[in-house]
């Protein structure tokens, strides 16, 4: 077991907003080596790029490196589905399917891409990226820097891969970001061990809320599947706060 000590004079419950703010950024999990194309890139070249690099989508950028859209495998499949735009558009067609039919005649990235590009800041949290992916129902987000230029791509797989982190990496984050930076605890106050993604917390603190915060913050550490909170406390301050 590894631990980290007597609590400092700072009460972690006094600045819970600050404590809850720590989270890994998109920059730490995104794919940085991104295959891109310009708006004038031809259909066959786009297909060749996807095949060569084994990717299911390509960000389309303008002359300044700003993402303007994405061409996915679904966008290119429209050409075969509707015979290159020659197939007659069905009478009953919703807006999304109509746009898909129009792409079947596309010859360049500009005509094929889904626009605008859905972007997220490289400094945004992994949770924010997961929420945006779910909200927009997309497989990937274009990651941009402060100036709006493309610096990477974050996908559903990148987010899910955080659960494959080694136990030692998870433990190091608990010690550093939960015990030391998050709660300002001296070495020895609390101890933790991680086994197959499940974190067990032990030790003794003064208030019950402090023990609860330790558990809540540990649950947010990337890779943590579950938390066994065995931290002991002297005072149950949740009773008085609820009155």
């Amino acid at each position: 077991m590894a631990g980290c000590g007597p609590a400092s004079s700072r009460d972690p419950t006094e600045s819970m907003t600050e404590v809850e703010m720590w989270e890994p950024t998109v920059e730490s999990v995104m794919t940085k080596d991104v295959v891109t194309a310009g708006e004038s890139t031809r259909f066959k070249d786009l297909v060749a790029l996807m095949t060569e690099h084994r990717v299911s989508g390509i960000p389309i950028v303008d002359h300044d490196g700003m993402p303007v859209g994405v061409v996915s495998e679904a966008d290119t499949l429209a050409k075969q589905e509707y015979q290159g735009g020659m197939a007659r558009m069905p009478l009953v067609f919703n807006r999304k399917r109509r746009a898909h039919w129009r792409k079947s005649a596309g010859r360049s990235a500009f005509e094929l891409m889904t626009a605008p590009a859905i972007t997220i800041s490289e400094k945004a949290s992994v949770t924010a990226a997961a929420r945006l992916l779910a909200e927009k129902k997309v497989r990937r987000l274009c990651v941009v820097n402060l100036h709006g230029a493309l610096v990477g791509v974050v996908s559903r797989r990148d987010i899910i891969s955080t659960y494959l982190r080694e136990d030692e990496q998870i433990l190091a984050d608990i010690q550093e970001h939960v015990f030391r930076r998050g709660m300002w605890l001296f070495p020895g106050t609390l101890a933790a061990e991680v086994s197959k993604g499940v974190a067990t917390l032990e030790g003794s603190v003064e208030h019950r809320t402090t023990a609860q915060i330790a558990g809540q913050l540990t649950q947010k550490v990337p890779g943590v599947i579950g938390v066994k909170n065995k931290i002991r406390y002297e005072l149950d301050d949740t009773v008085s706060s609820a009155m």
Side-chain angles (χ1 to χ4, degrees), residues 8-212:
S8 70
S9 58
R10 174 179 181 264
D11 183 353
T13 62
E14 293 178 357
S15 57
M16 193 166 178
T17 300
E18 177 188 341
V19 171
E20 291 180 334
M21 282 179 64
W22 177 80
E23 212 181 333
T25 62
V26 169
E27 184 179 21
S28 67
V29 300
M30 72 182 186
T31 299
K32 298 179 180 179
D33 186 15
V34 182
V35 180
T36 64
E39 295 173 88
S40 61
T41 304
R42 310 307 294 175
F43 178 88
K44 282 193 174 183
D45 293 329
L46 290 167
V47 174
L49 282 172
M50 281 189 257
T51 302
E52 178 184 351
H53 295 279
R54 297 182 180 181
V55 293
S56 60
I58 298 179
I60 308 302
V61 297
D62 62 17
H63 296 296
D64 297 317
M66 310 287 187
V68 293
V70 173
V71 172
S72 67
E73 289 177 331
D75 295 324
T76 61
L77 285 174
K79 187 171 289 293
Q80 183 171 0
E81 183 179 356
Y82 296 109
Q83 302 169 26
M86 298 302 292
R88 186 174 181 180
M89 183 173 68
L91 296 177
V92 181
F93 237 24
N94 60 33
R95 183 178 180 181
K96 185 176 180 180
R97 296 299 297 171
R98 189 177 295 110
H100 193 61
W101 175 80
R102 290 198 181 100
K103 288 180 182 182
S104 65
R107 298 180 181 180
S108 67
F110 178 78
E111 297 170 323
L112 290 164
M113 69 183 184
T114 298
I118 301 174
T119 64
I120 191 167
S121 167
E122 61 183 337
K123 302 303 180 184
S125 68
V126 170
T127 297
R131 287 173 180 166
L132 189 56
L133 283 165
E135 177 187 337
K136 299 297 183 179
K137 298 180 180 179
V138 293
R139 295 184 177 182
R140 66 192 69 78
L141 302 171
C142 292
V143 184
V144 296
N145 61 19
L146 181 63
H147 305 291
L150 184 74
V151 292
V153 169
V154 64
S155 67
R156 294 175 182 175
R157 183 174 298 178
D158 294 326
I159 303 297
I160 295 174
S161 67
T162 61
Y163 288 104
L164 299 178
R165 301 181 75 209
E166 297 293 334
D167 289 341
E168 292 78 8
Q169 294 176 304
I170 298 172
L171 177 59
D173 274 351
I174 294 173
Q175 294 172 328
E176 177 68 12
H177 296 289
V178 177
F179 294 164
R180 194 175 78 83
R181 294 190 184 185
M183 304 186 70
W184 286 26
L185 299 177
F186 291 120
T189 302
L190 298 180
E193 65 177 14
V194 181
S195 177
K196 297 182 179 179
V198 178
T200 301
L201 307 180
E202 294 184 309
S204 179
V205 294
E206 185 175 359
H207 298 105
R208 182 179 183 180
T209 52
T210 303
Q212 291 176 334

